Amino acid sequence: LLSSVAGSTIGIGNASGDIVISGAELQNMTASFLIIGSSLNSGIAVDGVTAANSNNLGAVELNSGGNVEFSGGNSAFHALTANADARVNVFASLTTDVGDLVLNADEDSSGGTDGLYIQSNPTLTSAGDITLSASSNGAGIDAVSSVTMVASGTITLNDDFTGLGHATLNADNGINVNGDFSSIGATSFNADSDANGTGTFVVAGSVLINGNISITANDIDLAGTLSAGASNITILVSDGGTIGLGNTAG
């Protein structure tokens, strides 16, 4: 679905816009893959799309030359990808109940204040993977509130994460911190939340938390640094196995 007028906005669910696709209208669509918008649109807003509204759609992709914003009521899809040249604003909880949740901000790498913004204490839940990305020369992933992420697959943060609240990340099949991760609140990483021995906690950058850090995983791959300052770091093995330090196997 594309707007015929450059610079127009699209509202989905209860959101307003030059073009509005209500939840009821979305529910009348059936497709394995629905693409809404392009780089010609100046913004897409999503508000309160229910699982019933999106149940006839396999995967949904949102594309905007400006922002993509999720606010108001929580929204649910089978699988969701949001691509924004400017900001992706996550101001409400998101759920994908079949596939992956992928949010890509600053797709044109223009930098500045463009990035992925999180507020209002949302929970991101996926039956597949959660992948969050923003260009390295922009604002990165900026959480001005607490955030919870729960994935049946992996959680991957491809750019720097800055948090002003508690962060809780639970994934069945691993957590990948590919940029720097900093927060002023206690942070919990569970890279093997189903405790089946397949989840690795991978840190390529640095993790700096002004608070306690809790890590549960089957294995840890620490190429970067891990610091809790004056607080505590707790490391637990997820599947009841052993822990080896230095040259000792675990």
Side-chain angles (χ1 to χ4, degrees):
L1 296 174
L2 304 176
S3 172
S4 61
V5 180
S8 61
T9 60
I10 299 174
I12 303 172
N14 298 320
S16 60
D18 297 316
I19 296 176
V20 174
I21 305 170
S22 70
E25 290 172 326
L26 202 65
Q27 195 164 335
N28 288 334
M29 301 180 189
T30 300
S32 60
F33 191 25
L34 174 65
I35 301 173
I36 299 177
S38 72
S39 59
L40 295 177
N41 302 120
S42 63
I44 295 177
V46 181
D47 177 358
V49 173
T50 67
N53 294 156
S54 59
N55 198 48
N56 296 325
L57 304 170
V60 174
E61 180 178 298
L62 308 178
N63 300 305
S64 172
N67 298 341
V68 175
E69 179 168 310
F70 303 92
S71 60
N74 301 333
S75 290
F77 300 88
H78 278 343
L80 176 67
T81 298
N83 304 310
D85 283 351
R87 300 183 178 193
V88 174
N89 295 325
V90 182
F91 301 161
S93 294
L94 294 175
T95 298
T96 55
D97 53 22
V98 175
D100 299 338
L101 173 59
V102 180
L103 305 178
N104 299 314
D106 196 16
E107 282 279 272
D108 62 358
S109 298
S110 58
T113 59
D114 290 349
L116 199 162
Y117 290 86
I118 299 171
Q119 69 180 45
S120 303
N121 306 307
T123 297
L124 308 183
T125 305
S126 177
D129 299 335
I130 295 176
T131 304
L132 307 184
S133 303
S135 73
S136 58
N137 61 334
I141 305 167
D142 188 359
V144 300
S145 71
S146 297
V147 60
T148 299
M149 305 181 201
V150 181
S152 297
T154 63
I155 295 175
T156 301
L157 308 179
N158 282 322
D159 293 280
D160 294 348
F161 177 100
T162 303
L164 297 181
H166 302 291
T168 302
L169 283 68
N170 297 324
D172 286 355
N173 296 327
I175 296 174
N176 304 300
V177 181
N178 293 329
D180 295 336
F181 188 109
S182 62
S183 177
I184 63 172
T187 300
S188 172
F189 302 99
N190 190 336
D192 188 19
S193 55
D194 61 355
N196 70 351
T198 61
T200 300
F201 179 57
V202 180
V203 178
S206 65
V207 174
L208 175 60
I209 307 299
N210 185 15
N212 294 331
I213 303 174
S214 174
I215 300 169
T216 303
N218 180 63
D219 196 7
I220 294 177
D221 184 350
L222 187 62
T225 60
L226 184 65
S227 174
S231 298
N232 301 324
I233 298 175
T234 301
I235 298 176
L236 304 173
V237 63
S238 59
D239 61 351
T242 60
I243 298 176
L245 299 177
N247 296 323
T248 303

